[in-house]
Amino acid sequence: MELVTAGRAEALEGRGLNTSYRLAVGGRTFSVKVHCAERSSDAEFRRIRCVDAALRGTAWYPPVGDIGFHAAERPRLVVVRPYAPGEPSDDARRHIAQVVEVLADLAARAGSVTAGEDLVGDYASPWLSGAEGERALVAPLLTGEWRPLARAMDDHLDESRAAASRLTRPDGLVVHHGDLHGRNLIGGGSRPLTVIDWDEAGLSRRPADAGKALWLSCRLGRGDFVLDPRALRRFLTLSHARLGVPYASAGDLARLGALWFLPRHGHVTLLGRRDTGLGPWYLDWVARFWARYRRNTDLIAATAAALGA
């Protein structure tokens, strides 16, 4: 971390809460992830260590080389891994088969995991345990031009929570990446495939990775949320074959994934602290998701019905 603060590392582009760097030392290149102070907790430390123990030896997983907290005042969690060279693809549809195979591997690896309940959770968890509180907190941010986003939340929150509950399995623990899609799959270098960005890794009792991946892998392009019918058909077919997702559950899987696109006050606030332009950018981004939501869910229902016929 001293090398990062001394300006020896290259900051990498990103709009998340955490900051990524590329650092060359002794002829080797490392990825350094510096978590924001507000998310740098002991639980976060233990979640990453737990996932690392479960996934070490997996061909596509970059193992943790070092992990710890930097600075005494408002310490930040720092995670060092091997750097994966290569450029992510702008078309996530090209990597649907790889994403589904990674999902299958994550589910299989959970059998060896022993962890406390404080390490189990995903983006759906806050909405299942405290939806009214989360909705009330974010309400002051959803005024003016963001009122349609507030209406979308009110229209779809209950059905999404119900879907998440139906897909929750008390005995169905899986390793959770948290942001699995084509742009976080890197090809080349010493590994044929590397899955990057493990900031949100942990454990889940529902197919939260698959629900989010449906939306991020099947859209026509970045920055928009018009689903590609062919990509959607491929995703649902492979998810049925490799993950055992019934075609009749495709709608619930999509509704579960939609919970990730609900703005939370804490997330928007922390984005604004990193960069004042990130909060409005994020709200506009998720607003576009919800503006197309009903048409997309109609397509998902029709595609799943045709596949299951």
Side-chain angles (χ1 to χ4, degrees):
M1 188 62 191
E2 284 72 18
L3 296 176
V4 171
T5 56
R8 294 272 303 277
E10 175 189 357
L12 302 177
E13 180 185 0
R15 291 193 176 110
L17 296 177
N18 304 325
T19 309
S20 299
Y21 298 90
R22 179 168 52 201
L23 177 64
V25 180
R28 300 177 61 192
T29 308
F30 299 94
S31 168
V32 181
K33 183 76 70 169
V34 181
H35 291 235
C36 67
E38 293 82 359
R39 299 286 178 90
S40 294
S41 65
D42 178 65
E44 191 74 7
F45 175 89
R46 289 185 291 118
R47 264 196 298 271
I48 292 173
R49 290 293 296 269
C50 182
V51 169
D52 185 63
L55 296 183
R56 276 185 177 267
T58 307
W60 41 259
Y61 176 71
V64 172
D66 196 9
I67 182 171
F69 291 91
H70 175 74
E73 190 173 339
R74 300 203 78 188
R76 290 174 163 232
L77 182 61
V78 181
V79 185
V80 181
R81 302 177 187 268
Y83 179 77
E87 292 296 326
S89 172
D90 282 331
D91 190 349
R93 294 171 296 177
R94 295 172 51 194
H95 303 288
I96 287 174
Q98 291 174 308
V99 165
V100 174
E101 287 303 313
V102 170
L103 288 169
D105 282 352
L106 289 173
R109 285 278 176 158
S112 62
V113 173
T114 302
E117 283 300 313
D118 62 330
L119 302 188
V120 179
D122 53 54
Y123 57 79
S125 300
W127 295 108
L128 290 176
S129 63
E132 290 185 6
E134 292 290 344
R135 180 66 184 87
L137 281 173
V138 80
L141 302 179
L142 303 182
T143 59
E145 63 180 304
W146 308 121
R147 283 191 183 126
L149 178 54
R151 287 195 295 270
M153 291 185 70
D154 294 334
D155 289 344
H156 301 295
L157 177 56
D158 287 346
E159 67 182 31
S160 291
R161 293 178 68 241
S165 295
R166 286 191 292 269
L167 292 174
T168 301
R169 301 288 181 266
D171 58 346
L173 194 68
V174 296
V175 179
H176 178 65
H177 175 277
D179 196 22
L180 192 60
H181 54 84
R183 283 191 61 80
N184 280 338
L185 274 60
I186 304 294
S190 60
R191 301 169 183 266
L193 173 71
T194 302
V195 181
I196 63 171
D197 281 357
W198 291 89
D199 309 39
E200 300 172 43
L203 305 168
S204 176
R205 298 195 187 281
R206 60 187 71 92
D209 267 336
K212 183 177 176 180
L214 184 157
W215 292 106
L216 295 182
S217 297
C218 299
R219 52 187 177 162
L220 288 172
R222 293 187 70 200
D224 208 340
F225 289 100
V226 177
L227 293 184
D228 179 346
R230 290 185 180 180
L232 176 62
R233 186 180 185 90
R234 181 167 174 74
F235 185 92
L236 295 181
T237 300
L238 291 173
S239 296
H240 177 74
R242 294 292 291 123
L243 308 177
V245 177
Y247 291 124
S249 296
D252 274 352
L253 189 67
R255 286 185 281 270
L256 165 62
L259 286 172
W260 187 74
F261 297 91
L262 293 176
R264 297 179 62 203
H265 178 272
H267 184 75
V268 178
T269 302
L270 290 178
L271 283 174
R273 289 180 189 172
R274 179 176 175 183
D275 185 322
T276 55
L278 283 180
W281 169 84
Y282 170 76
L283 290 174
D284 179 67
W285 189 68
V286 295
R288 293 201 302 273
F289 170 87
W290 289 106
R292 293 158 173 78
Y293 180 73
R294 185 55 69 194
R295 283 172 288 173
N296 283 328
T297 52
D298 287 345
L299 175 63
I300 292 167
T303 303
L307 288 169

